[in-house]
């Protein structure tokens, strides 16, 4: 394994951050680089009693030995970046591609001020849609035009491809999820860019022939924030009764909860070119599985669910998350 892409298979918030963190500690990548839209993403990583929510810095930051990069296709908000770099003390290992487009205050105003984006679509209000529009119109400023970003600038594709040439492991982190892809999602209730694995490779200047593995992360009970169709959605009263409640990392809005969607999982695995899948939240299928780290110790109920999920996806489920902490995971990637 050398170049691995990790993407979300449902509507975002599948627990990619936690899966990335686990793989980073297990596989020692020299670079962890982010693709995806921009600071509309929120990744939560929990280690021991510390919980971090990041929007710009790759969620693999918890692994201290990797250089952390933001790929060319990603929108950068310099204020969000500065706050995270200070908070996480990762100043000396964060790099931003000089061609990233920059989010300005005016983009945030346009995002929040637009009836269509703020109300109908339910955007995160982080300025991403208007900034991507400006990039397409070729009027957006790039990272290389912003003095504050000068210390971080790099040629991310060159760094990644050189690392792969040297035989290092590289992780490419996706953000958002398949269901909110601009191309493949529930348009118009989608984000402002494709979110599939090919896009994450393109965001980082990595050609398709260099990618070895695509891990698609699915949540046992998928969630969706913002507006738009969600065919397996549960009534709030039902999910509340089941004790499932989640709130967004960026907007703190309550997430909509749904049942497992096998046909969406299959289609998403197909377009993403899935080689292996990760399933998070198995402890919600059966609370008796909370914190388990060995496959053999899972309950019958959990194993039945995983078998069905594997059939739906059509590829092996090799990572099973049993709780929020990075240590709460079953990793059987070696066994397939
Ligand atoms: P925008 O990307 O801020 O324009 O928001 C468009 C839609 O995508 C809204 O429904 C958001 O809630 C959703 N969205 C954007 N980023 C994420 C994410 O990282 N996780 C989950 N939903 C997201
Ligand atoms: Mg999130």
């Amino acid at each position: 394994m050398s170049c691995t892409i990790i993407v979300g298979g449902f509507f975002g918030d599948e627990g990619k951050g936690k899966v990335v963190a686990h793989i980073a500690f297990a596989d020692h990548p020299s670079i962890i680089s982010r693709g995806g839209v921009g600071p509309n993403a929120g990744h939560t990583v929990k280690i021991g009693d510390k919980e971090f929510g990041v929007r710009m810095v790759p969620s693999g930051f918890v692994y201290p030995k990797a250089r952390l990069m933001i790929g060319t296709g990603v929108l950068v908000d310099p204020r969000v970046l500065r706050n995270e770099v200070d908070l996480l003390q990762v100043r000396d290992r964060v790099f931003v591609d000089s061609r990233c487009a920059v989010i300005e205050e005016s983009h945030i105003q346009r995002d929040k001020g637009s009836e269509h984006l703020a109300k109908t679509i339910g955007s995160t209000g982080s300025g991403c849609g208007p900034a991507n529009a400006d990039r397409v119109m070729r009027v957006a400023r790039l990272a290389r035009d912003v003095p504050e970003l000068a210390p971080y600038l790099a040629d991310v594709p060159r760094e990644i491809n050189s690392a792969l040439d040297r035989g290092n492991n590289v992780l490419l982190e996706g953000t958002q999820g398949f269901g909110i892809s601009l191309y493949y999602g529930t348009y118009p209730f989608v984000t402002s860019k494709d979110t599939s694995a090919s896009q994450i490779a393109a965001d980082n200047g990595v050609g398709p022939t260099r990618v070895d593995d695509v891990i698609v992360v699915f949540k046992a009970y998928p969630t969706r924030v913002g507006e738009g169709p969600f065919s397996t959605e549960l009534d709030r009263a039902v999910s509340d009764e089941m004790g499932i409640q989640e709130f967004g990392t960026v907007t703190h809005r309550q997430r909509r909860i749904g049942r497992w969607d096998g046909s969406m999982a299959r289609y998403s695995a197909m377009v993403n070119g899935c080689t292996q899948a990760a399933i998070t939240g198995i402890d919600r299928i059966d609370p008796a599985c909370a914190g388990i780290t060995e496959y053999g110790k899972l309950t019958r109920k959990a194993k039945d669910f995983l078998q069905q999920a594997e059939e739906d996806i059509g590829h092996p489920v090799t990572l099973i998350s049993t709780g929020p902490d990075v240590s709460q995971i079953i990793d059987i990637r070696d066994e397939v």
Side-chain angles (χ1 to χ4, degrees):
M1 196 193 77
S2 49
C3 184
T4 301
I5 298 182
I6 293 152
V7 287
F10 285 143
F11 295 97
D13 308 307
E14 296 89 354
K16 295 178 290 293
K18 182 248 169 90
V19 171
V20 167
H22 163 76
I23 294 180
F25 282 105
D27 296 0
H28 312 289
S30 69
I31 296 176
I32 301 171
S33 191
R34 236 204 84 164
V37 183
N40 51 350
H43 287 303
T44 307
V45 186
K46 188 167 182 287
I47 300 191
D49 55 6
K50 285 204 177 120
E51 188 172 285
F52 305 93
V54 289
R55 296 171 54 195
M56 283 289 4
V57 169
S59 43
F61 76 88
V62 291
Y63 172 65
K65 290 189 189 150
R67 288 190 296 155
L68 308 167
M69 303 199 175
I70 298 176
T72 316
V74 180
L75 296 163
V76 172
D77 183 328
R79 290 149 296 201
V80 176
L81 180 70
R82 190 201 317 130
N83 285 342
E84 288 181 13
V85 161
D86 290 348
L87 182 74
L88 307 171
Q89 301 186 342
V90 289
R91 170 77 193 73
D92 52 340
R93 60 189 182 107
V94 168
F95 301 86
V96 174
D97 192 88
S98 57
R99 296 154 290 190
C100 290
V102 169
I103 296 182
E104 322 265 355
E105 189 53 42
S106 61
H107 293 129
I108 297 173
Q109 295 315 322
R110 276 157 64 194
D111 201 350
K112 290 184 174 160
S114 154
E115 181 86 13
H116 176 65
L117 293 177
K119 301 254 163 55
T120 309
I121 307 298
S123 95
T124 60
S126 51
C128 291
N132 267 336
D134 274 2
R135 189 176 199 163
V136 171
M137 293 304 281
R138 284 143 291 175
V139 293
R141 281 201 305 162
L142 301 187
R144 66 183 180 220
D145 305 322
V146 180
E148 192 194 340
L149 293 176
Y152 302 102
L153 297 186
D155 182 332
V156 168
R158 195 180 294 286
E159 295 295 336
I160 294 174
N161 283 280
S162 308
L164 293 171
D165 289 343
R166 290 193 299 272
N168 294 342
N169 285 338
V170 171
L171 286 186
L172 303 181
E173 265 185 50
T175 59
Q176 285 81 36
F178 185 75
I180 56 169
S181 160
L182 180 62
Y183 295 168
Y184 305 109
T186 53
Y187 187 89
F189 304 101
V190 293
T191 189
S192 52
K193 209 166 93 178
D194 179 28
T195 56
S196 71
S198 305
Q199 177 69 65
I200 304 308
D203 284 341
N204 286 288
V206 173
T209 51
R210 298 222 77 169
V211 176
D212 301 286
D213 254 313
V214 175
I215 299 179
V216 184
V217 185
F218 297 98
K219 208 171 185 175
Y221 283 97
T223 59
R224 176 163 197 160
V225 269
E227 302 307 316
F230 187 3
S231 59
T232 63
E233 184 170 11
L234 295 164
D235 269 353
R236 170 112 331 138
V238 174
S239 49
D240 281 352
E241 176 114 355
M242 293 165 78
I244 308 181
Q245 274 196 342
E246 291 188 25
F247 296 88
T249 312
V250 178
T251 58
H252 309 294
R253 287 178 290 185
Q254 189 162 4
R255 293 178 184 153
R256 300 154 63 191
I257 314 274
R259 283 191 201 289
W260 175 258
D261 184 342
S263 64
M264 182 177 180
R266 189 169 198 84
Y267 196 83
S268 163
M270 175 182 78
V271 173
N272 278 305
C274 176
T275 59
Q276 314 179 37
I279 304 254
T280 60
I282 199 74
D283 49 314
R284 284 185 174 160
I285 297 293
D286 188 347
C289 295
I292 284 176
T293 55
E294 285 169 54
Y295 187 86
K297 293 192 176 156
L298 289 173
T299 59
R300 188 71 261 158
K301 193 174 175 194
K303 284 180 181 163
D304 287 346
F305 173 83
L306 289 168
Q307 195 182 338
Q308 180 60 49
E310 202 164 71
E311 260 171 51
D312 293 335
I313 296 164
H315 296 277
V317 173
T318 55
L319 293 153
I320 301 148
S321 173
T322 58
D325 197 85
V326 173
S327 64
Q328 295 173 315
I329 195 162
I330 300 167
D331 184 342
I332 50 170
R333 288 177 297 157
D334 285 348
E335 292 168 32
V336 293

